[in-house]
Amino acid sequence: MNAPIISVRDVSVKLGNQIVLDSVSFEVDKPSLILVLGPNGAGKTTLIKLLLGIIKPFKGSVEVLGLNPFKESTKLRSLVGYVPQKDKISYETPLKVSEVVLMGILLRKRFPRFLSKRDVESAKKALAYLGMEDKWESFFNELSGGQQRRVLIARALASDPTLLFLDEIFAGLDFESQENLLDVLSMLKEKERTIILVEHELEPIRDLADKILVLNRNICMYGEPDDVLSEEKLKPLYPCLRTVEKDGKRFIFLGDKHA
């Protein structure tokens, strides 16, 4: 029997004096798109950083792709892609889009780090997935916010990761950019990549999710969308939740506000 892609067992995390994750347990046993929801301050970003080995728990165990992320972080990060809410790219040093995307490949290489022709082709292919191939020579800091987000996703995809962590990539994007990202995520699912996607709202990603994990410092719900998405179950966490019926389909808007 194959090991789970992700295994989290009775994990608790403390930041300062505050417990931000409390006795969290769940598994991802096959390639899936897992949508992580939860009210503001629920620990969603902390969960991603835990899985990446950036933040250590004071209790419990974590395995990702069969690795201990706290002892084998270098090996793990060569297999995963990560798009954080806010990236630390310096805007004072002008970087071309090509340099930003290639950075995602270069950082996974051992010293001495050299780029190959194949690496450049992979970077261009990743940009093409995001509809940004014409920005190869553009400066990153001159792009719109939505375009920058797409470039950062291309950077994460360029090394063809087995596992992808995406932290609120849909926030603030226009409709066209959202549709483009949905196409990319659908393509990744077909390639049997596992995606952990943190969002504040269900839409527009709900229909692509294989499972939904609802977090509020601990696991409130974890299961297939039809088992999780009921107004009765979600209302205690989202007092401002509302539903809208359109063309025979029910849309759920959680009404959570980002701090």
Side-chain angles (χ1 to χ4, degrees):
M1 184 175 178
N2 294 331
I5 295 168
I6 294 173
S7 176
V8 177
R9 298 175 185 169
D10 196 29
V11 163
S12 295
V13 173
K14 184 183 288 186
L15 297 180
N17 294 321
Q18 184 178 9
I19 294 177
V20 291
L21 293 176
D22 187 12
S23 301
V24 169
S25 297
F26 72 97
E27 284 191 352
V28 178
D29 58 5
K30 62 183 180 180
S32 315
L33 191 155
I34 311 296
L35 175 58
V36 181
L37 299 174
N40 193 37
K44 301 184 295 295
T45 295
T46 299
L47 178 63
I48 285 184
K49 290 182 177 180
L50 171 82
L51 297 173
L52 286 166
I54 298 170
I55 293 176
K56 291 184 178 181
F58 69 85
K59 184 183 78 167
S61 65
V62 180
E63 278 194 2
V64 180
L65 299 175
L67 301 170
N68 182 322
F70 316 109
K71 295 180 179 179
E72 301 171 280
S73 59
T74 301
K75 187 174 182 180
L76 176 62
R77 289 177 198 179
S78 70
L79 301 172
V80 306
Y82 174 40
V83 181
Q85 284 184 43
K86 295 180 180 178
D87 202 273
K88 295 181 179 178
I89 291 176
S90 172
Y91 288 85
E92 296 176 4
T93 305
L95 289 174
K96 288 186 176 181
V97 166
S98 56
E99 294 172 309
V100 172
V101 179
L102 287 167
M103 199 185 301
I105 297 174
L106 201 60
L107 291 176
R108 287 171 169 77
K109 290 179 175 284
R110 294 183 178 181
F111 288 102
R113 292 169 170 165
F114 296 108
L115 291 167
S116 67
K117 183 178 179 181
R118 183 177 178 181
D119 292 332
V120 174
E121 290 172 353
S122 295
K124 288 183 175 180
K125 187 176 180 180
L127 274 175
Y129 284 145
L130 277 299
M132 297 289 289
E133 62 270 33
D134 61 331
K135 301 296 183 183
W136 180 257
E137 292 293 335
S138 300
F139 285 102
F140 181 79
N141 60 1
E142 293 177 355
L143 302 180
S144 69
Q147 289 174 325
Q148 288 180 353
R149 188 86 50 81
R150 287 154 75 179
V151 170
L152 294 175
I153 294 166
R155 182 181 69 176
L157 294 179
S159 58
D160 195 23
T162 301
L163 176 58
L164 191 60
F165 295 98
L166 304 173
D167 197 351
E168 295 192 34
I169 59 167
F170 284 92
L173 292 186
D174 58 38
F175 179 78
E176 182 181 354
S177 295
Q178 288 186 3
E179 289 294 302
N180 184 277
L181 284 185
L182 289 172
D183 288 342
V184 171
L185 293 174
S186 182
M187 175 270 296
L188 290 171
K189 284 187 61 174
E190 289 176 5
K191 293 175 70 175
E192 295 194 334
R193 300 298 184 258
T194 295
I195 304 161
I196 308 297
L197 175 61
V198 165
E199 285 295 333
H200 265 265
E201 285 285 354
L202 278 163
E203 310 299 343
I205 194 63
R206 177 177 66 169
D207 290 342
L208 276 182
D210 296 300
K211 286 189 175 181
I212 295 177
L213 188 154
V214 182
L215 184 69
N216 193 18
R217 299 189 184 179
N218 53 31
I219 304 291
C220 301
M221 289 173 278
Y222 180 49
E224 296 181 3
D226 288 346
D227 296 327
V228 173
L229 298 181
S230 75
E231 190 169 349
E232 180 183 356
K233 291 178 180 178
L234 292 172
K235 194 77 172 178
L237 286 173
Y238 297 100
C240 297
L241 180 147
R242 63 190 177 91
T243 59
V244 176
E245 298 279 346
K246 185 177 180 182
D247 299 328
K249 186 176 179 180
R250 185 170 62 101
F251 296 89
I252 299 175
F253 295 95
L254 303 175
D256 188 35
K257 296 194 176 187
H258 203 306

